[in-house]
Amino acid sequence: MNTARRLSFAALACAIVACSSEAETKPAAQATATPSPAATPMKDSAPQSKVTQLLVTLDDGKGGVGKPVLVDKVVKTDAEWAAMLTPDQYFVTRAKGTERPFCGTLLDNKKSGTYHCVCCDLPLFSSNAKFNSGTGWPSFFQGVSKENIATITDSSHGMSRTEILCARCDCHLGHVFEDGPAPTGLRYCLNSESLKFKELKGTSEQK
């Protein structure tokens, strides 16, 4: 290799070394700053779901029922229900239990008035629709209004039955069967623990 070519290669090598050294000493470009999650303004929390409303018939204040009105659905936690109910009431109404036959406090009640949900006070059945079914549980052939009573299929205990619930708070009431008297042919079989009775003022006990 001649002298001129060696000098050319030497100059090129020096230039490469110089560039490399400059790159090592030159400070790195600063990364683009991004706001931390904490610095980002938080959005307003999602709005709570709208309370469900339904049309039901309420108490008229005299032991009877009034006109249908639109009301909010009653929703509580298990702890809240347990705090306001007796253990027996909670077992029946929220745990879907069943009281023993012929033991309910309202089985032999013959006063005139209205039977209300023990959980939310919604009127459910009238004494005019009560009859002696001989089953050991308070029985009625119809409710005060179709809006006040909800039904679902109950497949527990190896059976398929129609469970009845309070439409406003989903309180378990009992079951309805198609072996009742006229005019409906239905037997609403209730637990006394699911009900509270409000006597119609100015009336005497039914015989």
Side-chain angles (χ1 to χ4, degrees), residues 85 88-94 97-99 105-106 115-122 124 164 166 169 171-174 189-197:
L85 300 170
D88 286 342
Q89 288 172 340
Y90 181 87
F91 168 70
V92 171
T93 63
R94 312 318 307 185
T98 302
E99 66 194 18
T105 57
L106 295 174
Y115 295 81
H116 291 236
C117 172
V118 74
C119 292
C120 73
D121 201 32
L122 185 70
L124 299 170
I164 51 177
C166 168
C169 72
C171 161
H172 171 73
L173 303 173
C189 187
L190 279 290
N191 291 279
S192 292
E193 295 293 350
S194 299
L195 306 170
K196 59 181 177 181
F197 178 73

Side-chain angles (χ1 to χ4, degrees), residues 36-53:
S36 64
T40 304
M42 295 182 64
K43 294 182 179 180
D44 294 335
S45 58
Q48 295 181 349
S49 57
K50 188 176 180 180
V51 176
T52 302
Q53 291 192 314

Side-chain angles (χ1 to χ4, degrees), residues 43-207:
K43 294 182 179 180
D44 294 335
S45 58
Q48 295 181 349
S49 57
K50 188 176 180 180
V51 176
T52 302
Q53 291 192 314
L54 64 159
L55 191 68
V56 295
T57 303
L58 296 180
D59 185 7
D60 64 359
K62 301 177 182 179
V65 294
K67 297 179 180 180
V69 296
L70 198 63
V71 300
D72 291 343
K73 185 107 174 158
V74 175
V75 179
K76 297 180 184 292
T77 65
D78 285 343
E80 288 172 328
W81 286 124
M84 66 172 285
L85 300 170
T86 68
D88 286 342
Q89 288 172 340
Y90 181 87
F91 168 70
V92 171
T93 63
R94 312 318 307 185
K96 299 182 183 292
T98 302
E99 66 194 18
R100 291 182 297 170
F102 299 101
C103 294
T105 57
L106 295 174
L107 174 62
D108 296 322
N109 180 38
K110 293 181 173 59
K111 296 179 180 179
S112 297
T114 309
Y115 295 81
H116 291 236
C117 172
V118 74
C119 292
C120 73
D121 201 32
L122 185 70
L124 299 170
F125 297 92
S126 169
S127 58
N128 293 332
K130 192 170 188 282
F131 70 98
N132 183 7
S133 65
T135 61
W137 289 281
S139 300
F140 304 82
F141 57 78
Q142 66 184 10
V144 296
S145 75
K146 62 180 182 180
E147 293 86 6
N148 289 21
I149 301 170
T151 59
I152 60 174
T153 300
D154 176 10
S155 300
S156 63
H157 307 294
M159 297 180 284
S160 180
R161 297 175 293 173
T162 301
E163 179 182 353
I164 51 177
L165 309 168
C166 168
R168 184 161 64 173
C169 72
D170 294 331
C171 161
H172 171 73
L173 303 173
H175 295 84
V176 60
F177 304 92
E178 297 181 349
D179 58 3
T184 65
L186 299 176
R187 172 172 59 92
Y188 289 88
C189 187
L190 279 290
N191 291 279
S192 292
E193 295 293 350
S194 299
L195 306 170
K196 59 181 177 181
F197 178 73
K198 292 188 178 182
E199 186 174 1
L200 185 62
K201 297 178 181 179
T203 60
S204 58
E205 185 172 301
Q206 297 175 345
K207 295 183 180 181

Side-chain angles (χ1 to χ4, degrees), residues 9-21:
F9 280 141
L12 180 60
C14 289
I16 293 173
V17 172
C19 290
S20 177
S21 176

